[in-house]
Amino acid sequence: MDHIHKKAIDPAKLDAVIGRAVADLSAGYGGVMVSLGNRLGLYKALAETGPLTSRELASRTGCAERYVREWLGSQVAGAYATYHAISDTYELTPEQAFVFANEESPVFIPNAWAIPASMWADEMKAVEAFRTGKGIPWGDHDGRLQCGIAAFYGNAYKASLVPEWLPALTGVVDKLKAGALVADIGCGYGHSTVQMAEAFPASTFRGFDTHGESVIAARKVAAEAGVANRVSFETASASTYPGTGYDLICFFDCLHDMGDPIAAAEHAAKAIAPDGTVMLVEPFANDRVEDNVSPIARMYYAASTTICCAHAISDGGRLVLGAQAGEARLADVFRKAGFTRFRRALATPFNLVLEAKL
Ligand SMILES: C[S@@+](CC[C@H](N)C(=O)[O-])C[C@H]1O[C@@H](n2cnc3c(N)ncnc32)[C@H](O)[C@@H]1O
Protein backbone atom coordinates (compact mmCIF):
# COMPACT_ATOMS: atom_id res chain seq x y z
CA MET A 1 0.00 0.00 0.00
CA ASP A 2 2.97 2.34 0.60
CA HIS A 3 3.37 3.20 -3.03
CA ILE A 4 -0.31 4.20 -3.17
CA HIS A 5 -0.14 6.39 -0.06
CA LYS A 6 2.83 8.31 -1.42
CA LYS A 7 0.83 9.44 -4.44
CA ALA A 8 -1.30 12.54 -3.96
CA ILE A 9 -5.03 11.95 -3.98
CA ASP A 10 -6.95 13.90 -6.58
CA PRO A 11 -10.14 15.04 -4.75
CA ALA A 12 -12.27 15.01 -7.90
CA LYS A 13 -11.21 11.47 -8.76
CA LEU A 14 -11.78 10.41 -5.15
CA ASP A 15 -15.28 11.88 -5.29
CA ALA A 16 -15.97 9.88 -8.42
CA VAL A 17 -14.83 6.61 -6.81
CA ILE A 18 -16.80 7.30 -3.62
CA GLY A 19 -19.89 8.31 -5.60
CA ARG A 20 -19.71 5.08 -7.56
CA ALA A 21 -19.13 2.91 -4.49
CA VAL A 22 -21.96 4.53 -2.53
CA ALA A 23 -24.38 4.21 -5.45
CA ASP A 24 -23.53 0.51 -5.58
CA LEU A 25 -23.95 0.13 -1.84
CA SER A 26 -27.32 1.86 -2.10
CA ALA A 27 -28.32 -0.61 -4.82
CA GLY A 28 -27.40 -3.50 -2.53
CA TYR A 29 -29.69 -2.19 0.22
CA GLY A 30 -32.35 -1.51 -2.40
CA GLY A 31 -32.25 -5.13 -3.55
CA VAL A 32 -33.46 -6.31 -0.17
CA MET A 33 -36.36 -3.85 -0.47
CA VAL A 34 -37.18 -5.17 -3.96
CA SER A 35 -37.33 -8.71 -2.66
CA LEU A 36 -39.55 -7.69 0.28
CA GLY A 37 -41.84 -5.67 -1.98
CA ASN A 38 -42.24 -8.70 -4.21
CA ARG A 39 -42.80 -11.25 -1.44
CA LEU A 40 -45.34 -9.05 0.34
CA GLY A 41 -47.25 -8.09 -2.82
CA LEU A 42 -46.54 -4.39 -2.28
CA TYR A 43 -45.59 -3.68 -5.90
CA LYS A 44 -48.57 -5.62 -7.23
CA ALA A 45 -51.02 -3.80 -4.98
CA LEU A 46 -49.58 -0.46 -6.08
CA ALA A 47 -49.74 -1.47 -9.73
CA GLU A 48 -53.35 -2.61 -9.50
CA THR A 49 -54.65 0.72 -8.23
CA GLY A 50 -54.15 4.43 -8.62
CA PRO A 51 -52.15 6.39 -6.05
CA LEU A 52 -52.34 4.97 -2.50
CA THR A 53 -51.43 6.29 0.92
CA SER A 54 -49.15 4.12 3.03
CA ARG A 55 -52.16 3.25 5.19
CA GLU A 56 -54.19 2.11 2.16
CA LEU A 57 -51.30 0.03 0.82
CA ALA A 58 -50.76 -1.54 4.24
CA SER A 59 -54.40 -2.47 4.55
CA ARG A 60 -54.57 -3.91 1.00
CA THR A 61 -51.52 -6.12 1.63
CA GLY A 62 -52.15 -7.05 5.26
CA CYS A 63 -48.93 -5.39 6.40
CA ALA A 64 -48.08 -3.03 9.25
CA GLU A 65 -48.32 0.60 8.12
CA ARG A 66 -45.14 1.83 9.76
CA TYR A 67 -43.03 -0.73 7.86
CA VAL A 68 -44.84 -0.04 4.62
CA ARG A 69 -44.31 3.73 4.93
CA GLU A 70 -40.58 3.28 5.41
CA TRP A 71 -40.40 0.85 2.50
CA LEU A 72 -42.27 3.35 0.32
CA GLY A 73 -39.69 5.98 1.25
CA SER A 74 -36.95 3.66 0.00
CA GLN A 75 -38.80 3.14 -3.28
CA VAL A 76 -39.21 6.87 -3.89
CA ALA A 77 -35.56 7.53 -2.98
CA GLY A 78 -34.49 4.94 -5.54
CA ALA A 79 -36.89 6.13 -8.27
CA TYR A 80 -38.70 2.78 -8.19
CA ALA A 81 -41.99 4.48 -7.18
CA THR A 82 -43.48 7.93 -7.53
CA TYR A 83 -44.61 10.12 -4.61
CA HIS A 84 -47.31 12.80 -4.72
CA ALA A 85 -46.56 15.14 -1.82
CA ILE A 86 -49.89 17.01 -1.99
CA SER A 87 -51.98 13.89 -1.41
CA ASP A 88 -49.25 11.97 0.46
CA THR A 89 -49.77 9.08 -1.95
CA TYR A 90 -47.53 6.69 -3.86
CA GLU A 91 -47.88 5.00 -7.24
CA LEU A 92 -46.00 3.10 -9.92
CA THR A 93 -45.65 4.41 -13.46
CA PRO A 94 -46.48 1.80 -16.15
CA GLU A 95 -42.74 1.32 -16.66
CA GLN A 96 -42.05 0.83 -12.95
CA ALA A 97 -44.94 -1.64 -12.79
CA PHE A 98 -43.55 -3.53 -15.81
CA VAL A 99 -40.22 -4.07 -14.05
CA PHE A 100 -41.38 -4.63 -10.45
CA ALA A 101 -45.01 -5.84 -10.52
CA ASN A 102 -45.57 -7.79 -13.73
CA GLU A 103 -44.41 -11.38 -13.18
CA GLU A 104 -44.79 -12.16 -16.86
CA SER A 105 -42.59 -9.30 -18.01
CA PRO A 106 -39.25 -10.25 -19.60
CA VAL A 107 -37.62 -7.62 -17.38
CA PHE A 108 -39.36 -8.56 -14.12
CA ILE A 109 -36.41 -7.95 -11.83
CA PRO A 110 -37.28 -9.17 -8.30
CA ASN A 111 -36.35 -12.80 -9.09
CA ALA A 112 -32.90 -11.68 -10.22
CA TRP A 113 -32.11 -10.46 -6.71
CA ALA A 114 -32.28 -14.07 -5.53
CA ILE A 115 -28.94 -14.63 -7.27
CA PRO A 116 -26.82 -12.11 -5.30
CA ALA A 117 -28.76 -13.17 -2.19
CA SER A 118 -27.47 -16.71 -2.73
CA MET A 119 -23.97 -15.37 -3.39
CA TRP A 120 -23.97 -13.57 -0.02
CA ALA A 121 -25.29 -16.67 1.73
CA ASP A 122 -22.48 -18.72 0.17
CA GLU A 123 -19.74 -16.16 0.73
CA MET A 124 -17.72 -18.34 3.11
CA LYS A 125 -17.80 -21.21 0.60
CA ALA A 126 -16.27 -18.79 -1.91
CA VAL A 127 -13.61 -17.66 0.59
CA GLU A 128 -12.68 -21.31 1.10
CA ALA A 129 -12.66 -21.94 -2.66
CA PHE A 130 -10.33 -18.99 -3.32
CA ARG A 131 -7.93 -20.29 -0.65
CA THR A 132 -7.98 -23.95 -1.67
CA GLY A 133 -8.63 -23.68 -5.40
CA LYS A 134 -11.38 -26.28 -5.01
CA GLY A 135 -14.74 -25.98 -6.74
CA ILE A 136 -18.33 -25.49 -5.57
CA PRO A 137 -20.88 -27.71 -7.35
CA TRP A 138 -24.01 -26.01 -8.72
CA GLY A 139 -26.22 -27.99 -6.32
CA ASP A 140 -24.22 -26.94 -3.22
CA HIS A 141 -25.33 -23.33 -3.44
CA ASP A 142 -28.09 -21.69 -1.45
CA GLY A 143 -31.40 -22.76 -3.05
CA ARG A 144 -32.21 -19.21 -4.12
CA LEU A 145 -29.60 -19.59 -6.88
CA GLN A 146 -31.34 -22.35 -8.84
CA CYS A 147 -34.83 -20.89 -8.30
CA GLY A 148 -33.69 -17.35 -9.12
CA ILE A 149 -31.97 -18.39 -12.34
CA ALA A 150 -34.94 -20.49 -13.41
CA ALA A 151 -37.49 -17.75 -12.75
CA PHE A 152 -35.48 -14.83 -14.15
CA TYR A 153 -34.15 -16.63 -17.24
CA GLY A 154 -37.48 -18.37 -17.81
CA ASN A 155 -39.15 -14.99 -18.33
CA ALA A 156 -36.35 -13.71 -20.52
CA TYR A 157 -36.55 -16.85 -22.68
CA LYS A 158 -40.28 -16.39 -23.08
CA ALA A 159 -39.70 -13.06 -24.79
CA SER A 160 -36.80 -14.17 -26.99
CA LEU A 161 -36.27 -17.87 -27.52
CA VAL A 162 -39.17 -18.81 -29.81
CA PRO A 163 -39.90 -15.35 -31.28
CA GLU A 164 -36.30 -14.27 -32.02
CA TRP A 165 -33.51 -16.72 -31.27
CA LEU A 166 -34.71 -19.87 -33.05
CA PRO A 167 -35.64 -17.92 -36.22
CA ALA A 168 -32.08 -16.53 -36.29
CA LEU A 169 -30.74 -20.07 -36.85
CA THR A 170 -30.54 -21.43 -40.39
CA GLY A 171 -33.50 -23.68 -41.24
CA VAL A 172 -34.20 -24.72 -37.65
CA VAL A 173 -37.76 -23.40 -37.32
CA ASP A 174 -38.87 -25.33 -40.44
CA LYS A 175 -37.45 -28.55 -38.99
CA LEU A 176 -39.11 -27.92 -35.64
CA LYS A 177 -42.46 -27.32 -37.36
CA ALA A 178 -42.12 -30.53 -39.36
CA GLY A 179 -41.06 -32.62 -36.35
CA ALA A 180 -37.53 -32.64 -34.99
CA LEU A 181 -35.62 -34.36 -32.19
CA VAL A 182 -34.15 -31.81 -29.78
CA ALA A 183 -31.74 -32.12 -26.84
CA ASP A 184 -31.53 -29.33 -24.24
CA ILE A 185 -28.25 -29.83 -22.38
CA GLY A 186 -27.79 -28.34 -18.91
CA CYS A 187 -31.53 -27.68 -19.03
CA GLY A 188 -31.93 -26.65 -15.37
CA TYR A 189 -35.64 -26.29 -14.56
CA GLY A 190 -36.48 -26.89 -18.22
CA HIS A 191 -38.17 -23.60 -19.04
CA SER A 192 -36.35 -23.41 -22.37
CA THR A 193 -37.25 -27.04 -23.23
CA VAL A 194 -40.91 -26.59 -22.34
CA GLN A 195 -41.27 -23.28 -24.16
CA MET A 196 -39.92 -24.86 -27.36
CA ALA A 197 -42.21 -27.87 -26.88
CA GLU A 198 -45.25 -25.62 -26.52
CA ALA A 199 -44.37 -23.80 -29.73
CA PHE A 200 -43.58 -26.88 -31.82
CA PRO A 201 -46.10 -29.66 -31.14
CA ALA A 202 -44.69 -31.99 -33.85
CA SER A 203 -41.25 -32.15 -32.22
CA THR A 204 -39.82 -34.22 -29.37
CA PHE A 205 -37.61 -32.75 -26.65
CA ARG A 206 -35.15 -34.30 -24.22
CA GLY A 207 -33.61 -32.27 -21.41
CA PHE A 208 -30.44 -33.36 -19.58
CA ASP A 209 -28.76 -31.94 -16.51
CA THR A 210 -26.35 -33.26 -13.87
CA HIS A 211 -28.32 -31.59 -11.06
CA GLY A 212 -30.98 -34.11 -9.99
CA GLU A 213 -33.18 -31.62 -8.15
CA SER A 214 -33.38 -29.42 -11.26
CA VAL A 215 -34.42 -32.43 -13.34
CA ILE A 216 -37.26 -33.14 -10.89
CA ALA A 217 -38.33 -29.49 -11.07
CA ALA A 218 -38.17 -29.59 -14.88
CA ARG A 219 -40.50 -32.62 -15.02
CA LYS A 220 -42.99 -30.65 -12.95
CA VAL A 221 -42.73 -27.63 -15.29
CA ALA A 222 -43.42 -29.91 -18.28
CA ALA A 223 -46.38 -31.60 -16.57
CA GLU A 224 -47.92 -28.25 -15.62
CA ALA A 225 -47.57 -27.04 -19.21
CA GLY A 226 -49.26 -30.24 -20.47
CA VAL A 227 -46.33 -31.27 -22.71
CA ALA A 228 -44.92 -34.19 -20.69
CA ASN A 229 -45.87 -36.63 -23.48
CA ARG A 230 -43.28 -35.05 -25.80
CA VAL A 231 -40.75 -33.78 -23.26
CA SER A 232 -38.57 -35.94 -21.04
CA PHE A 233 -35.90 -34.97 -18.54
CA GLU A 234 -33.04 -37.12 -17.32
CA THR A 235 -30.08 -36.68 -15.01
CA ALA A 236 -27.10 -36.94 -17.36
CA SER A 237 -23.87 -35.15 -18.06
CA ALA A 238 -23.18 -33.15 -21.22
CA SER A 239 -20.53 -35.65 -22.28
CA THR A 240 -22.51 -38.87 -21.79
CA TYR A 241 -26.25 -38.25 -22.37
CA PRO A 242 -28.01 -40.86 -24.50
CA GLY A 243 -29.38 -40.62 -28.02
CA THR A 244 -28.22 -39.80 -31.54
CA GLY A 245 -29.69 -38.09 -34.58
CA TYR A 246 -30.63 -34.88 -32.76
CA ASP A 247 -31.69 -32.17 -35.22
CA LEU A 248 -31.03 -29.49 -32.64
CA ILE A 249 -28.78 -29.60 -29.56
CA CYS A 250 -29.12 -26.57 -27.26
CA PHE A 251 -26.84 -25.21 -24.58
CA PHE A 252 -28.58 -22.38 -22.73
CA ASP A 253 -26.25 -20.51 -20.41
CA CYS A 254 -24.45 -23.68 -19.34
CA LEU A 255 -21.49 -24.54 -21.60
CA HIS A 256 -19.22 -22.18 -19.67
CA ASP A 257 -20.33 -23.87 -16.40
CA MET A 258 -19.07 -27.26 -17.52
CA GLY A 259 -15.77 -28.72 -16.40
CA ASP A 260 -14.97 -29.98 -19.88
CA PRO A 261 -16.78 -27.93 -22.53
CA ILE A 262 -14.70 -29.51 -25.32
CA ALA A 263 -15.88 -32.99 -24.26
CA ALA A 264 -19.46 -31.63 -24.25
CA ALA A 265 -19.01 -30.28 -27.80
CA GLU A 266 -17.38 -33.57 -28.90
CA HIS A 267 -20.33 -35.50 -27.53
CA ALA A 268 -22.68 -33.14 -29.38
CA ALA A 269 -20.70 -33.82 -32.58
CA LYS A 270 -21.42 -37.57 -32.14
CA ALA A 271 -25.05 -37.16 -31.07
CA ILE A 272 -26.15 -34.66 -33.71
CA ALA A 273 -27.76 -35.51 -37.07
CA PRO A 274 -25.47 -34.89 -40.08
CA ASP A 275 -27.26 -31.61 -40.93
CA GLY A 276 -28.15 -30.80 -37.32
CA THR A 277 -27.54 -27.53 -35.49
CA VAL A 278 -25.99 -26.71 -32.15
CA MET A 279 -27.56 -23.65 -30.56
CA LEU A 280 -25.26 -22.08 -28.04
CA VAL A 281 -26.64 -19.28 -25.87
CA GLU A 282 -24.07 -17.65 -23.64
CA PRO A 283 -23.91 -14.48 -21.56
CA PHE A 284 -22.97 -11.55 -23.80
CA ALA A 285 -19.24 -10.91 -23.72
CA ASN A 286 -16.55 -9.43 -25.90
CA ASP A 287 -13.30 -11.34 -26.31
CA ARG A 288 -11.04 -9.11 -24.22
CA VAL A 289 -11.21 -8.04 -20.58
CA GLU A 290 -10.75 -4.41 -21.54
CA ASP A 291 -13.82 -4.62 -23.77
CA ASN A 292 -15.98 -6.11 -21.03
CA VAL A 293 -16.45 -3.00 -18.93
CA SER A 294 -20.14 -2.40 -18.28
CA PRO A 295 -22.73 -3.03 -15.56
CA ILE A 296 -23.75 -6.23 -17.32
CA ALA A 297 -20.18 -7.52 -17.67
CA ARG A 298 -19.55 -6.70 -14.02
CA MET A 299 -22.60 -8.69 -12.98
CA TYR A 300 -21.56 -11.65 -15.12
CA TYR A 301 -17.92 -11.61 -13.96
CA ALA A 302 -19.10 -11.58 -10.33
CA ALA A 303 -21.54 -14.47 -10.74
CA SER A 304 -18.90 -16.27 -12.78
CA THR A 305 -16.36 -15.98 -9.99
CA THR A 306 -18.35 -17.71 -7.27
CA ILE A 307 -20.84 -19.74 -9.33
CA CYS A 308 -19.73 -20.56 -12.90
CA CYS A 309 -15.98 -20.97 -12.43
CA ALA A 310 -16.61 -22.66 -9.08
CA HIS A 311 -18.93 -25.23 -10.66
CA ALA A 312 -16.63 -25.86 -13.64
CA ILE A 313 -13.73 -26.50 -11.24
CA SER A 314 -15.91 -28.93 -9.25
CA ASP A 315 -16.87 -30.60 -12.56
CA GLY A 316 -13.27 -31.50 -13.45
CA GLY A 317 -11.98 -28.06 -14.36
CA ARG A 318 -10.27 -29.10 -17.61
CA LEU A 319 -11.23 -25.81 -19.25
CA VAL A 320 -12.82 -23.16 -17.04
CA LEU A 321 -14.30 -20.70 -19.53
CA GLY A 322 -16.11 -18.39 -17.11
CA ALA A 323 -19.26 -16.48 -18.02
CA GLN A 324 -17.34 -13.85 -19.99
CA ALA A 325 -15.58 -16.25 -22.36
CA GLY A 326 -16.45 -14.33 -25.54
CA GLU A 327 -17.17 -15.62 -29.01
CA ALA A 328 -13.57 -16.41 -30.05
CA ARG A 329 -12.98 -18.82 -27.16
CA LEU A 330 -16.40 -20.43 -27.63
CA ALA A 331 -15.74 -20.90 -31.35
CA ASP A 332 -12.44 -22.54 -30.50
CA VAL A 333 -14.21 -25.11 -28.30
CA PHE A 334 -16.43 -26.16 -31.21
CA ARG A 335 -13.61 -26.16 -33.76
CA LYS A 336 -11.60 -28.45 -31.52
CA ALA A 337 -14.62 -30.75 -31.24
CA GLY A 338 -14.85 -31.12 -35.03
CA PHE A 339 -17.47 -28.53 -35.98
CA THR A 340 -16.52 -26.73 -39.21
CA ARG A 341 -19.08 -23.92 -39.16
CA PHE A 342 -19.60 -21.49 -36.30
CA ARG A 343 -21.32 -18.13 -36.48
CA ARG A 344 -23.00 -15.49 -34.36
CA ALA A 345 -26.71 -15.69 -35.12
CA LEU A 346 -27.51 -12.65 -33.00
CA ALA A 347 -26.50 -10.72 -29.94
CA THR A 348 -28.50 -8.86 -27.31
CA PRO A 349 -27.15 -6.78 -24.43
CA PHE A 350 -27.46 -9.92 -22.26
CA ASN A 351 -26.77 -12.83 -24.61
CA LEU A 352 -24.80 -14.18 -27.54
CA VAL A 353 -26.75 -16.65 -29.68
CA LEU A 354 -24.30 -18.79 -31.63
CA GLU A 355 -24.77 -21.55 -34.18
CA ALA A 356 -22.44 -24.50 -34.81
CA LYS A 357 -22.70 -27.14 -37.53
CA LEU A 358 -20.52 -30.11 -38.48
C1 LIG B 1 -26.77 -21.41 -15.20
S1 LIG B 1 -27.64 -22.93 -15.17
C2 LIG B 1 -28.63 -22.78 -16.64
C3 LIG B 1 -29.84 -23.64 -16.61
C4 LIG B 1 -30.77 -23.51 -17.82
N1 LIG B 1 -30.15 -23.97 -19.05
C5 LIG B 1 -31.24 -22.09 -17.97
O1 LIG B 1 -30.83 -21.43 -18.93
O2 LIG B 1 -32.03 -21.62 -17.14
C6 LIG B 1 -26.40 -24.11 -15.65
C7 LIG B 1 -26.89 -25.54 -15.64
O3 LIG B 1 -25.88 -26.39 -16.20
C8 LIG B 1 -25.89 -27.62 -15.49
N2 LIG B 1 -24.59 -28.28 -15.70
C9 LIG B 1 -23.40 -27.88 -15.25
N3 LIG B 1 -22.44 -28.74 -15.64
C10 LIG B 1 -23.05 -29.71 -16.37
C11 LIG B 1 -22.60 -30.86 -17.07
N4 LIG B 1 -21.32 -31.19 -17.09
N5 LIG B 1 -23.50 -31.61 -17.73
C12 LIG B 1 -24.83 -31.28 -17.71
N6 LIG B 1 -25.31 -30.21 -17.06
C13 LIG B 1 -24.44 -29.41 -16.40
C14 LIG B 1 -26.14 -27.18 -14.05
O4 LIG B 1 -26.56 -28.24 -13.23
C15 LIG B 1 -27.18 -26.07 -14.25
O5 LIG B 1 -28.50 -26.58 -14.20
Side-chain angles (χ1 to χ4, degrees), residues 138-139 145-146 149-151 153-154 157 184-192 208-212 214 236-241 251-260 264 281 307-308 311-312 315:
W138 175 255
L145 173 65
Q146 299 88 9
I149 291 270
Y153 284 26
Y157 293 161
D184 188 355
I185 314 304
C187 60
Y189 281 33
H191 288 292
S192 49
F208 302 104
D209 200 293
T210 39
H211 185 229
S214 289
S237 120
S239 43
T240 57
Y241 57 88
F251 294 87
F252 293 105
D253 192 44
C254 61
L255 187 81
H256 68 268
D257 290 310
M258 295 172 182
D260 194 346
V281 175
I307 301 167
C308 311
H311 176 81
D315 193 28

Side-chain angles (χ1 to χ4, degrees), residues 129-141:
F130 267 71
R131 294 219 166 106
T132 61
K134 290 187 181 152
I136 309 169
W138 175 255
D140 280 8
H141 285 285

Side-chain angles (χ1 to χ4, degrees), residues 17-30:
V17 175
I18 293 172
R20 177 70 188 269
V22 171
D24 292 344
L25 189 60
S26 166
Y29 282 58

Side-chain angles (χ1 to χ4, degrees), residues 261-274 276 278 330-342 355-358:
I262 296 175
E266 282 170 348
H267 191 69
K270 282 186 226 140
I272 205 163
V278 167
L330 296 166
D332 196 45
V333 166
F334 280 85
R335 237 174 263 123
K336 285 189 171 127
F339 287 82
T340 60
R341 287 170 284 172
F342 189 93
E355 178 183 85
K357 288 176 84 83
L358 288 174

Side-chain angles (χ1 to χ4, degrees), residues 47-290:
E48 280 163 7
T49 58
L52 292 177
T53 64
S54 59
R55 192 159 296 285
E56 287 165 338
L57 179 59
S59 113
R60 276 175 181 270
T61 52
C63 292
E65 188 277 339
R66 188 63 193 89
Y67 284 111
V68 169
R69 195 185 342 143
E70 213 65 4
W71 178 84
L72 281 164
S74 80
Q75 299 308 292
V76 174
Y80 286 2
T82 309
Y83 179 57
H84 304 291
I86 292 172
S87 52
D88 191 22
T89 55
Y90 304 81
E91 73 175 330
L92 298 185
T93 63
E95 297 76 20
Q96 289 164 338
F98 194 58
V99 174
F100 297 107
N102 181 349
E103 274 173 346
E104 298 303 313
S105 147
V107 289
F108 180 67
I109 213 80
N111 291 327
W113 277 102
I115 300 160
S118 79
M119 290 164 72
W120 275 115
D122 292 334
E123 186 187 12
M124 292 320 291
K125 287 182 191 158
V127 167
E128 177 76 4
F130 267 71
R131 294 219 166 106
T132 61
K134 290 187 181 152
I136 309 169
W138 175 255
D140 280 8
H141 285 285
D142 182 279
R144 280 169 290 187
L145 173 65
Q146 299 88 9
C147 294
I149 291 270
F152 185 57
Y153 284 26
N155 271 21
Y157 293 161
K158 223 181 280 168
S160 314
L161 171 52
V162 171
E164 290 168 15
W165 295 352
L166 289 171
L169 305 175
T170 313
V172 166
V173 167
D174 286 342
K175 283 189 192 168
L176 289 168
K177 280 184 185 159
L181 179 61
V182 181
D184 188 355
I185 314 304
C187 60
Y189 281 33
H191 288 292
S192 49
T193 337
V194 168
Q195 286 172 23
M196 290 189 287
E198 287 176 315
F200 300 105
S203 290
T204 303
F205 298 83
R206 303 179 72 180
F208 302 104
D209 200 293
T210 39
H211 185 229
E213 285 169 33
S214 289
V215 168
I216 292 167
R219 287 182 185 140
K220 222 184 259 174
V221 171
E224 279 164 14
V227 294
N229 59 330
R230 291 181 294 108
V231 183
S232 64
F233 291 101
E234 284 173 53
T235 306
S237 120
S239 43
T240 57
Y241 57 88
T244 52
Y246 290 105
D247 299 294
L248 176 65
I249 298 182
C250 307
F251 294 87
F252 293 105
D253 192 44
C254 61
L255 187 81
H256 68 268
D257 290 310
M258 295 172 182
D260 194 346
I262 296 175
E266 282 170 348
H267 191 69
K270 282 186 226 140
I272 205 163
D275 189 35
T277 300
V278 167
M279 177 185 200
L280 174 63
V281 175
E282 280 285 303
F284 180 87
N286 291 304
D287 292 326
R288 297 180 305 182
V289 173
E290 62 270 36

